[in-house]
Amino acid sequence: MASGDIAQITEALAKTHVGEVELSYKGQGLKLDNAESVKEMVQEIEQYQGLRSLRLEGNTLGVEAARAIAKSLEAKRELEQCHWSDMFTGRLRSEIPPALISLGNALMTSGARLTHLDLSDNAFGPDGVKGIESLLKSSACYTLRELRLNNCGMGIGGGMVLASALTECHKQSSAAGSPLRLKVFIAGRNRLENDGATALAKAFKLLGSLEEVHMPQNGINHPGITALASAIKHNPNLQVLNLNDNTFTKRGSTAMAEAIRHLQCLKVINFGDCLVRSEGAIAIAAALREGLPFLRELNLSFGEICEAAAVVVAKAVQSKADLEKLDLNGKIIQFCCHSILLLHICAYCSDDEGEPEEEDDDDGEEDEDEEEREDEEDAEENGVNGTKYVIEDKVILANICMPEWTPKPDVLLLTTGYVIAIQISCSSSFPDALLRKAFSNSHSQSYNFISSLMVNLGLLKCEDKKIKRVTVLPGHLFALEHAAAQQFFPADQADVLETFVSRNGKVFESCCNARDALKTTLVKRTTA
């Protein structure tokens, strides 16, 4: 064989990239302004046989350069992964959409079926999302498994466009017999806020295939969090949920707690810096106690969680065999040999939740009005007149004697406590039949029962400043002690209550005998 033939064969083999599927220009810092600047790159792409992954991140791409690269991609039918993050540094925002449109059109022309699309750190704003809208709706994305759009500045408008595109892709792919099965969605630091998050939540609910959702630092408050919670429970294979640095408050926390009950595959939960507060932490703890057997990491740091609530959370996860890390109030508790030293929990947690600051309430006056209306509805639902859970003697006497009145158990216990306190037939003041009936409903099994009870007894701070705690009398604690001794009183709720009474005993200093009796009974229930 002639030496010239050998040289030709060698060159041909070099171009086939046997065993390789990726062409990478990652992190080269290339300034690619026009067709001439990408001439060599275009040649390499065209000659690369079986190209499945193209990495352009860490360079800066102009409109003309993008068009030239796009032309070379029109024949790359095997392309599956586009790692194109951080490739518009120093470019005008107006340059980015046409560049993205050119690249997207090329992928659609080629007949490629993408599995990974990463456009993170491009700061292209809402217009940039419009630049990839057609691509996301096309058959090129019917097979998409990972979509990464972190730190793109999409805003509310971009979030809505993205949600619409994903919805349309799912619709079209379903009609084609192969529904979109997106597994990983990353869109942190995008200023999505409530409306953007709510729009995406509708798309998530439709997909039902998500395994990882990362949406930190998006300015989402409880309406958006509630919408996401409603959507993610329709994604039963979810393993990672990262909503760090958004604002849950009580309503968002309770909605999310209800959602994660349905997610038995969940391994990582990151609700750090989300203002879950103590009430929210207790709700989440209840969900953790009931399921999530594969949980590895839980982050509730910097959420204004008091010491007692932190202990409740720690107890809820101490039996998780796979748990590696628990982060509460900014301190990390490492799990060794699948056990936790609850005796040292105080070293990791603050015993002061702190007063809510003005900026914590980002929901505006409209949400305040909404909260006020909901408080009034709650008061009516509980059979209580006036301020929520503030019970007047006449209301007590009227309702306690009405056999058809079945209040929530926390209201009944407060009511019974007042009856005892004013010495009305003390020997028959425990309406056991009514208590048993009250504890038979779902409310008594939920976090809401124990949380609202502790708020009114002064054991737990409440977000709603309009709620006034009752003046605790020995009768309240005797009524609670009697109820806690009964089998119908949920054992897990007794455990939560015991934790708070043990760590906040000073609240009941004026009722020390009744307090001690209650503590003794609660300890018996939790160790039985």
Side-chain angles (χ1 to χ4, degrees):
M1 183 181 292
S3 59
D5 294 333
I6 295 175
Q8 288 179 354
I9 293 173
T10 302
E11 184 179 357
L13 287 173
K15 291 179 179 178
T16 60
H17 300 275
V18 176
E20 298 179 13
V21 296
E22 180 177 275
L23 182 57
S24 177
Y25 300 93
K26 180 179 179 180
Q28 294 185 17
L30 303 174
K31 192 172 187 298
L32 309 172
D33 296 323
N34 48 45
E36 183 62 29
S37 64
V38 294
K39 185 176 179 179
E40 184 178 341
M41 181 184 293
V42 166
Q43 289 177 346
E44 290 181 345
I45 293 173
E46 289 176 343
Q47 295 172 2
Y48 203 110
Q49 301 300 311
L51 179 63
R52 295 193 178 184
S53 176
L54 179 61
R55 309 196 76 106
L56 297 176
E57 65 263 54
N59 300 290
T60 176
L61 204 61
V63 176
E64 293 303 319
R67 286 175 182 163
I69 293 172
K71 189 69 176 176
S72 69
L73 293 175
E74 290 180 355
K76 299 301 174 182
R77 184 180 181 85
E78 298 90 351
L79 188 62
E80 296 177 348
Q81 301 186 21
C82 297
H83 300 280
W84 296 348
S85 63
D86 188 24
M87 64 176 191
F88 294 112
T89 301
R91 300 293 172 181
L92 297 175
R93 180 167 289 187
S94 59
E95 294 182 83
I96 301 176
L100 290 172
I101 290 172
S102 296
L103 293 167
N105 288 341
L107 295 172
M108 290 185 282
T109 300
S110 71
R113 294 293 184 267
L114 298 183
T115 59
H116 295 66
L117 178 60
D118 186 358
L119 290 166
S120 298
D121 301 317
N122 279 313
F124 46 52
D127 291 338
V129 184
K130 293 177 182 178
I132 59 172
E133 182 179 7
S134 295
L135 172 62
L136 291 174
K137 291 179 179 180
S138 75
S139 59
C141 288
Y142 288 0
T143 52
L144 199 60
R145 295 295 178 263
E146 295 189 12
L147 179 59
R148 300 171 181 265
L149 296 169
N150 199 62
N151 191 30
C152 288
M154 290 188 288
I156 295 173
M160 290 181 168
V161 171
L162 176 60
S164 177
L166 290 175
T167 300
E168 183 64 21
C169 183
H170 184 272
K171 178 182 177 181
Q172 296 296 336
S173 60
S174 298
S178 181
L180 173 63
R181 301 285 297 170
L182 189 67
K183 292 184 178 181
V184 177
F185 179 85
I186 300 176
R189 300 185 67 186
N190 272 291
R191 305 193 306 276
L192 295 170
E193 301 183 18
N194 292 330
D195 291 342
T198 300
L200 285 167
K202 293 177 181 178
F204 294 168
K205 184 176 181 180
L206 186 65
L207 291 171
S209 57
L210 292 169
E211 295 181 5
E212 293 188 26
V213 172
H214 302 260
M215 297 175 66
Q217 295 183 326
N218 270 295
I220 308 171
N221 297 326
H222 73 80
I225 295 298
T226 300
L228 288 171
S230 178
I232 62 171
K233 65 184 179 183
H234 294 279
N235 291 262
N237 295 319
L238 193 68
Q239 297 179 28
V240 179
L241 180 58
N242 177 8
L243 295 173
N244 188 284
D245 199 9
N246 290 291
T247 306
F248 283 34
T249 63
K250 176 185 175 181
R251 286 191 229 175
S253 298
T254 54
M256 196 58 69
E258 175 59 29
I260 62 178
R261 294 175 191 270
H262 301 269
L263 304 173
Q264 294 304 303
C265 296
L266 210 51
K267 296 179 180 179
V268 177
I269 299 175
N270 188 344
F271 296 159
D273 204 13
C274 283
L275 208 66
V276 297
R277 293 202 174 117
S278 296
E279 286 186 272
I282 294 171
I284 292 170
L288 296 174
R289 188 182 299 111
E290 296 172 8
L292 281 67
F294 307 112
L295 189 68
R296 290 203 313 256
E297 295 183 18
L298 174 64
N299 184 352
L300 297 178
S301 61
F302 303 106
E304 294 192 0
I305 301 172
C306 69
E307 176 196 325
V311 172
V312 170
V313 174
K315 285 183 177 181
V317 299
Q318 64 179 333
S319 63
K320 307 298 181 188
D322 296 331
L323 196 66
E324 298 172 357
K325 185 172 71 175
L326 172 65
D327 193 343
L328 297 171
N329 282 9
K331 299 294 183 180
I332 297 175
I333 302 174
Q334 295 290 348
F335 285 73
C336 300
C337 302
H338 312 308
S339 64
I340 181 173
L341 300 177
L342 290 177
L343 292 176
H344 297 291
I345 194 72
C346 297
Y348 293 104
C349 305
S350 169
D351 59 359
D352 183 11
E353 290 177 272
E355 291 297 327
E357 300 176 1
E358 292 296 327
E359 60 266 28
D360 288 344
D361 186 5
D362 297 326
D363 300 338
E365 296 181 2
E366 184 176 339
D367 280 348
E368 290 181 3
D369 294 338
E370 179 187 344
E371 290 178 6
E372 187 172 345
R373 288 194 297 272
E374 290 182 2
D375 291 341
E376 292 171 358
E377 292 172 2
D378 285 340
E380 292 175 5
E381 182 181 355
N382 292 323
V384 180
N385 294 333
T387 307
K388 186 178 180 182
Y389 295 133
V390 175
I391 305 175
E392 299 176 358
D393 293 348
K394 291 182 180 179
V395 177
I396 298 167
L397 297 179
N399 287 333
I400 203 79
C401 300
M402 292 172 61
E404 70 275 12
W405 182 60
T406 307
K408 293 179 179 178
D410 44 317
V411 177
L412 182 57
L413 286 170
L414 292 172
T415 301
T416 305
Y418 268 111
V419 173
I420 296 172
I422 57 179
Q423 299 179 347
I424 299 178
S425 186
C426 189
S427 61
S428 60
S429 293
F430 296 112
D432 284 346
L434 192 55
L435 277 170
R436 188 175 293 103
K437 185 178 180 181
F439 277 94
S440 67
N441 64 38
S442 59
H443 175 72
S444 68
Q445 308 301 320
S446 72
Y447 118 92
N448 290 308
F449 154 61
I450 200 67
S451 179
S452 59
L453 180 64
M454 293 193 299
V455 164
N456 284 277
L457 292 177
L459 291 171
L460 182 63
K461 288 185 179 180
C462 180
E463 292 180 14
D464 190 347
K465 296 181 180 179
K466 295 187 289 294
I467 294 179
K468 301 176 183 178
R469 51 174 285 195
V470 301
T471 300
V472 179
L473 303 171
H476 290 116
L477 304 187
F478 282 127
L480 186 54
E481 187 270 334
H482 175 81
Q486 311 306 313
Q487 289 302 311
F488 54 69
F489 194 98
D492 58 334
Q493 308 287 26
D495 187 30
V496 173
L497 186 59
E498 189 275 328
T499 298
F500 272 79
V501 172
S502 296
R503 283 164 173 75
N504 296 280
K506 291 183 180 179
V507 174
F508 302 141
E509 199 66 50
S510 61
C511 313
C512 55
N513 291 335
R515 177 199 63 196
D516 294 343
L518 173 60
K519 287 174 63 176
T520 300
T521 297
L522 291 172
V523 170
K524 287 180 180 178
R525 282 302 309 276
T526 56
T527 57

